[in-house]
């Protein structure tokens, strides 16, 4: 089964995924910019929890309607519509209903270390990312690579992957803690355009 | 976080002397690297921030959202800066103006090199006020007001961990997670 078939299998058969992840960002000269790790829960379609614990706590929850990003050290929650965030986060990508062919061109990458790969190139040119690699095995993602438009690379590796297990629904909801600023946001250096 | 050794209240003369020593010590830092975060509640953004300051006065600043989304990189010196983002590569002599025009907020780039270390830019006038240990508590310089709320011990230095920068239009919260005071040793 090629990468595209694994992707179809994932889209058709996979309802929930829970896993630990590590994330490493490198620049175009291959120098390491940052590394982080945490846990994620995915409930398809449309909902996920992406929780960093290293190097500091950072929580991202998509409840199907909105994506919440909570930074406890900054006591700030930034929130934006879930639909807007398709190209923004790996979990948003994985949470999509469709096989992504309507938003990405899909190229087979063959097999590596027991998983099948596809390269997704956004059809609209002004997304955040140049390309996204998705490596899957037995219908679940085990690695993702994000290439942004200025040559930096973010690699996310999953471990302890459980597919279609029971999910704690409360983990997929977010209520801003008392006293924390809630801000409509573009999510990155961009701010929302009025 | 660890408070610096002189926890007891200093007299104002002692504070002035402590500040002079502290400032001279910090101004000896010629190159450094900072990993941190910048956020603005009103403008609704939060970005990861990487700043590399070289001894030859060149700097590299990288701002990005989650997973590197919307990344922007600025490289250059006080006179000319190359800006790289999803639109491509451009050059500007006014990086602060460029960021404000493109993103609707800005960062005090010329000042940040000193303010991130907790000292004023020594070449232009400033109005500092000191905390109990003779470190900067607030600083007014170049149209910005800086407010330092947390310091952290880094080797022999007390360096800012948390501060705010406000120029009347933009109010930024800055948080420094990691200092590297020998960035150019071993880097290519």
């Amino acid at each position: 089964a090629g990468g595209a078939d694994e992707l179809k299998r994932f889209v058709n058969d996979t309802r929930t995924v829970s896993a630990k992840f590590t994330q490493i960002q490198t620049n175009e000269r291959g120098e390491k910019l940052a590394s982080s790790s945490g846990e994620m829960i995915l409930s398809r379609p449309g909902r996920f929890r992406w929780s960093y614990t290293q190097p500091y706590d950072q929580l991202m929850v998509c409840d199907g309607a909105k994506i919440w990003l909570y930074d406890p050290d900054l006591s700030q929650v930034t929130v934006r519509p879930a639909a807007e965030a398709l190209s923004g986060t790996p979990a948003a990508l994985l949470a999509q209903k469709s096989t992504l062919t309507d938003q990405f061109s899909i190229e087979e990458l063959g097999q590596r270390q027991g998983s099948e790969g596809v390269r997704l190139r956004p059809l609209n040119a002004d997304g955040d990312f140049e390309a996204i690699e998705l490596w899957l095995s037995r219908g679940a993602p085990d690695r993702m690579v994000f290439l942004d438009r200025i040559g930096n690379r973010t690699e996310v590796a999953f471990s302890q992957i459980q597919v279609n297990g029971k999910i704690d629904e409360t983990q997929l909801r977010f209520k801003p803690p008392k006293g924390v600023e809630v801000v409509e946001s573009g999510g990155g250096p961009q701010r929302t355009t009025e | 976080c660890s408070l610096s050794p002189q926890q007891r209240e200093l007299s104002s003369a002692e504070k002035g002397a402590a500040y002079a020593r502290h400032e001279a010590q910090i101004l000896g830092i010629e190159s450094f690297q900072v990993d941190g975060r910048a956020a603005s509640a009103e403008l609704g953004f939060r970005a990861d921030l990487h700043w590399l300051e070289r001894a030859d006065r060149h700097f590299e600043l990288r701002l990005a959202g989650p997973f590197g989304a919307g990344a922007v990189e600025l490289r250059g010196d006080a006179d000319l800066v190359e800006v790289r983002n999803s639109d491509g590569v451009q050059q500007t002599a006014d990086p602060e103006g460029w960021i404000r025009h493109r993103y609707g907020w800005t960062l005090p780039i010329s000042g940040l090199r000193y303010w991130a270390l907790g000292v004023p830019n020594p070449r232009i006038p400033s109005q500092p006020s000191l905390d109990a240990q003779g470190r900067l508590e607030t600083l007014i310089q170049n149209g910005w007001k800086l407010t330092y709320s947390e310091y952290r011990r880094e080797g022999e230095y007390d360096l800012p961990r948390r501060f705010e920068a406000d120029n009347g239009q933009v109010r930024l919260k800055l948080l420094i997670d990691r200092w590297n005071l020998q960035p150019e040793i071993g880097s290519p």
Side-chain angles (χ1 to χ4, degrees), chain A residues 3-4 10 94 110 117 122 147 179 186:
Chain A
F10 170 71
L94 295 172
L147 303 171

Side-chain angles (χ1 to χ4, degrees), chain B residues 32 34 111-119 148 159-160 163 176 179:
Chain B
F32 60 86
V34 158
L112 203 55
R113 183 252 178 271
Y114 294 100
W115 302 345
L117 290 164
V119 290
Y148 294 87
L159 293 174
F163 61 102
I176 297 178
W179 284 96

Side-chain angles (χ1 to χ4, degrees), chain A residues 117-165:
Chain A
V118 282
R119 175 178 293 125
L120 307 170
R121 278 193 194 286
L123 296 180
N124 75 42
D126 56 12
D128 286 320
F129 296 100
E130 185 75 34
I132 297 166
E133 286 180 21
L134 183 54
W135 294 86
L136 301 120
S137 61
R138 292 185 303 283
D142 48 36
R143 202 156 57 87
M144 296 182 80
V145 181
F146 290 75
L147 303 171
D148 74 17
R149 294 203 175 280
I150 49 178
N152 299 321
R153 210 181 121 86
T154 301
E155 179 158 343
V156 178
F158 297 108
S159 59
Q160 297 177 28
I161 304 163
Q162 283 162 1
V163 177
N164 293 337

Side-chain angles (χ1 to χ4, degrees), chain A residues 71 73-74 152 181 183 189, chain B residues 37 41 44 62 105 162 173:
Chain A
D71 187 320
D73 295 332
L74 290 169
N152 299 321
E181 275 170 304
V183 171
Chain B
R37 296 167 255 177
R62 177 181 140 75
W105 56 276
R162 194 187 293 269
K173 277 189 209 173

Side-chain angles (χ1 to χ4, degrees), chain A:
Chain A
D5 298 336
E6 279 290 338
L7 182 56
K8 267 199 200 69
R9 178 176 169 191
F10 170 71
V11 165
N12 296 335
D13 305 347
T14 303
R15 285 178 315 287
T16 67
V17 178
S18 67
K20 290 192 181 318
F21 67 83
T22 58
Q23 179 180 316
I24 296 178
Q25 284 183 325
T26 50
N27 65 18
E28 78 287 357
R29 299 187 295 248
E31 291 155 349
K32 195 165 94 167
L33 288 173
S35 65
S36 51
S37 61
E39 290 172 354
M40 77 98 160
I41 296 174
L42 182 64
S43 172
R44 292 173 45 78
R47 297 183 304 152
F48 62 81
R49 179 187 191 85
W50 194 275
S51 164
Y52 291 98
T53 46
Q54 295 305 328
Y56 45 75
D57 285 342
Q58 193 85 213
L59 178 62
M60 201 183 294
V61 172
C62 180
D63 57 20
K66 292 187 162 163
I67 287 195
W68 307 83
L69 174 59
Y70 173 41
D71 187 320
D73 295 332
L74 290 169
S75 69
Q76 178 174 308
V77 170
T78 44
V79 59
R80 54 186 172 141
E84 194 190 286
L86 168 68
S87 66
T89 71
L93 191 69
L94 295 172
Q96 289 313 309
K97 299 187 196 55
S98 72
T99 58
L100 311 171
T101 47
D102 46 358
Q103 286 118 30
F104 296 92
S105 70
I106 298 184
E107 180 195 341
E108 288 283 345
L109 289 174
Q111 206 197 44
R112 233 172 77 180
Q113 295 155 356
S115 53
E116 297 281 350
V118 282
R119 175 178 293 125
L120 307 170
R121 278 193 194 286
L123 296 180
N124 75 42
D126 56 12
D128 286 320
F129 296 100
E130 185 75 34
I132 297 166
E133 286 180 21
L134 183 54
W135 294 86
L136 301 120
S137 61
R138 292 185 303 283
D142 48 36
R143 202 156 57 87
M144 296 182 80
V145 181
F146 290 75
L147 303 171
D148 74 17
R149 294 203 175 280
I150 49 178
N152 299 321
R153 210 181 121 86
T154 301
E155 179 158 343
V156 178
F158 297 108
S159 59
Q160 297 177 28
I161 304 163
Q162 283 162 1
V163 177
N164 293 337
K166 215 182 133 347
I167 292 286
D168 170 1
E169 282 295 319
T170 61
Q171 299 276 300
L172 294 165
R173 288 192 292 273
F174 180 78
K175 199 164 135 354
K178 254 170 61 54
V180 168
E181 275 170 304
V182 180
V183 171
E184 297 291 326
S185 147
Q190 290 92 343
R191 68 182 174 83
T192 43
T193 43
E194 268 72 32

